Amino acid sequence: MTDATDARLAAQYEAYPYPERDPRDEAKRLIVGSPSHLLEVDHWVFGARRPASQPLRALVAGGGTGDGTIMLAQHLAAAGRPGEVTWLDRSAAARRIAEARAAARRLENIRFVEGSLLELPESGLGPFDYIDCCGVLHHLPDPLAGLRALASVLAPGGGLGLMVYAPHGRTGVYMLQDALRLLAPPGEPPAQRVEAARRLWKQAPETAWLRRNPWLTDHISGGDAGLYDLLLNPRDVAFTVPAFAALLAEAGLRPACWVEPARYDPDLYLTDPKLRARTATLSPLQRAALAEAVTGNMGIHIVYAVRAEDPEPARPWEDPEAIPVLRQMDGPALAKGLPRDGTLPVAFDGLRVIRPMPRLAGAILQRVDGRRRLGEIADELAANGTPRETFWRDMAALRSTMEGLNRLLLAAPA
Ligand SMILES: C[S@@+](CC[C@H](N)C(=O)[O-])C[C@H]1O[C@@H](n2cnc3c(N)ncnc32)[C@H](O)[C@@H]1O
């Protein structure tokens, strides 16, 4: 089902493929993020149980100019892992950029398909082990229909990586969208609307909430595509935690992980014992909803989702054969920089919290290189006089802090 607003959305991404990217930049850097970082997919979707040698059939639905596609395909290629990433989008302009980025990297594990994700059920595409849909569902005429279309091509045991907008961290956006509907109505040429938005941003008084919102920068640093996407988008709806969880449930899915998990734990900053007594009675979903309402800074939700009936994978944190891995961090450097007082200060979009670190944190992290098994690390520490039970106790504490930050994960087995 499409409508006039959806036709305008399609026109937007033809005029301003999103995000604004220059394929020449591929020579300088790989853009990484969530969802669809391969380490996250291995850990959060497959519970570090799915062999790396098993080909990964991935779909990036609404792939845009290619950020998720390029990252996942590059991760697979760099690790010599089999699989194919299917980029699907209905923007031909976005496809040209995504294809040029893939060519710049000489990636041969991407397939480009132009079309609507709403037509996936009858497309003949799939099934897919992993489906990315980042920043797309909230633009659709019917997000549930979109999610169901994705779920229809999900292979048994597979999972999705989703990102949708969240309301509180977007404070100020919808007010300026309202203003721009008056100043530069949707029917006007896109370039004219962008110009009006730029003029408005220059003149919007200091009371405009977006001026006070430091977490959104697309209108400042995202070029015309970013400005258009944020302030002129014909349709974007934001989901609270309960609303997004309800959407997942209606599509027969459930969250396997909210990223980063610690952000969704109100106990990180609610230390008052009387409040703690209350938070202890809440379900995980209620606790996540509370965290969202109290912090007020979440502008997106990133969720790894699996079928509601699939069992929670028990990640093998106590298995000596399991291989711990750091996501975008260097173990020795991290170990060297750790404060000596048994804490780790972290910040999530301005929310500063202090997390506990066990005594052996440095000794363990220094050995986490994505190759050593937990058992090998235990052996090395035992050779230095650390009892094994002390290792496993501190390892559990380290995991509790760093898995919650989405930083310490378990690698896929060979
Ligand atoms: C905000 S962009 C997100 C791009 C990319 N996923 C990312 O996160 O960088 C939204 C994308 O969804 C695509 N899109 C919107 N509706 C779609 C549909 N029904 N089928 C396929 N793609 C769609 C748009 O063309 C656009 O490229």
Side-chain angles (χ1 to χ4, degrees):
M1 187 198 68
T2 56
D3 54 20
T5 307
D6 198 45
R8 279 202 291 275
L9 187 84
Q12 171 190 333
Y13 292 116
E14 271 327 313
Y16 297 109
Y18 185 92
E20 206 164 277
R21 295 288 178 241
D22 181 344
R24 285 172 300 189
D25 290 338
E26 295 312 310
K28 299 184 219 152
R29 50 90 187 104
L30 175 68
I31 294 178
V32 296
S34 304
S36 300
H37 194 294
L38 183 57
L39 293 178
E40 294 176 15
V41 176
D42 287 338
H43 183 87
W44 294 117
V45 174
F46 298 116
R49 304 270 177 188
R50 187 178 196 274
S53 56
Q54 204 171 318
L56 184 73
R57 300 163 297 180
L59 169 70
V60 182
T65 51
D67 280 5
T69 309
I70 297 293
M71 171 179 65
L72 186 53
Q74 181 68 63
H75 281 169
L76 288 168
R81 286 175 54 168
E84 184 183 63
V85 184
T86 299
W87 172 101
L88 172 73
D89 201 295
R90 55 183 186 174
S91 164
R95 176 187 182 153
R96 284 191 289 278
I97 295 167
E99 272 184 329
R101 293 176 73 185
R105 292 182 167 275
R106 296 191 169 79
L107 289 169
E108 287 171 1
N109 53 357
I110 304 179
R111 171 181 175 196
F112 290 89
V113 179
E114 236 173 275
S116 172
L117 67 88
L118 299 175
E119 282 149 29
L120 273 168
E122 54 282 350
S123 66
L125 296 172
F128 297 99
D129 307 303
Y130 172 69
I131 300 176
D132 165 301
C133 191
C134 176
V136 182
L137 291 174
H138 47 236
H139 295 306
L140 299 181
D142 180 354
L144 178 58
L147 196 50
R148 284 191 170 136
L150 299 179
S152 77
V153 290
L154 185 65
L160 303 99
L162 306 168
M163 184 279 269
V164 295
Y165 290 151
H168 308 325
R170 288 174 68 74
T171 296
V173 168
Y174 298 107
M175 299 170 212
L176 289 191
Q177 284 189 3
D178 287 346
L180 283 165
R181 266 189 287 274
L182 296 166
L183 288 170
E188 289 183 1
Q192 203 170 304
R193 300 190 73 210
V194 165
E195 197 207 323
R198 289 226 178 277
R199 287 175 186 275
L200 176 63
W201 181 243
K202 270 200 199 129
Q203 297 244 296
E206 60 187 338
T207 52
W209 279 107
L210 193 58
R211 287 232 181 273
R212 294 161 179 239
N213 183 337
W215 320 122
L216 294 172
T217 52
D218 236 11
H219 55 305
I220 300 163
S221 56
D224 287 352
L227 183 74
Y228 206 104
D229 206 52
L230 191 75
L231 297 181
L232 296 163
N233 204 298
R235 170 162 40 218
D236 88 52
V237 290
F239 291 83
T240 59
V241 164
F244 193 32
L247 185 82
L248 291 171
E250 279 189 87
L253 303 167
R254 68 172 169 82
C257 167
W258 298 78
V259 178
E260 296 90 358
R263 248 186 123 147
Y264 292 85
D265 179 2
D267 286 355
L268 251 60
Y269 35 84
L270 298 184
T271 53
D272 178 308
K274 290 219 161 133
L275 296 180
R276 274 285 178 94
R278 298 281 175 111
T279 60
T281 66
L282 301 178
S283 69
L285 190 60
Q286 288 173 318
R287 291 166 64 86
L290 175 66
E292 173 179 40
V294 170
T295 56
N297 70 345
M298 295 183 189
I300 56 172
H301 294 304
I302 296 166
V303 157
Y304 286 103
V306 294
R307 283 207 176 77
E309 67 271 19
D310 284 357
E312 179 72 36
R315 298 182 181 87
W317 281 106
E318 281 150 28
D319 181 352
E321 294 300 310
I323 298 173
V325 60
L326 283 161
R327 179 198 179 284
Q328 302 299 130
M329 283 183 141
D330 175 64
L334 178 60
K336 216 169 139 200
L338 281 183
R340 293 177 178 275
D341 63 355
T343 65
L344 182 69
V346 285
F348 306 105
D349 290 332
L351 169 70
R352 285 190 299 242
V353 291
I354 305 281
R355 304 300 298 137
M357 291 290 260
R359 199 178 57 79
L360 289 180
I364 297 173
L365 287 171
Q366 169 185 328
R367 292 171 170 83
V368 172
D369 56 7
R371 285 186 297 276
R372 281 185 177 93
R373 291 173 284 118
L374 286 173
E376 284 176 87
I377 298 177
D379 290 346
E380 285 182 27
L381 295 189
N384 293 342
T386 302
R388 281 170 200 280
E389 59 273 20
T390 309
F391 165 78
W392 287 107
R393 189 199 59 211
D394 278 21
M395 184 59 222
L398 181 65
R399 170 229 171 152
S400 160
T401 288
M402 296 220 35
E403 187 189 34
L405 304 176
N406 191 36
R407 289 300 196 171
L408 184 63
L409 306 171
L410 290 178

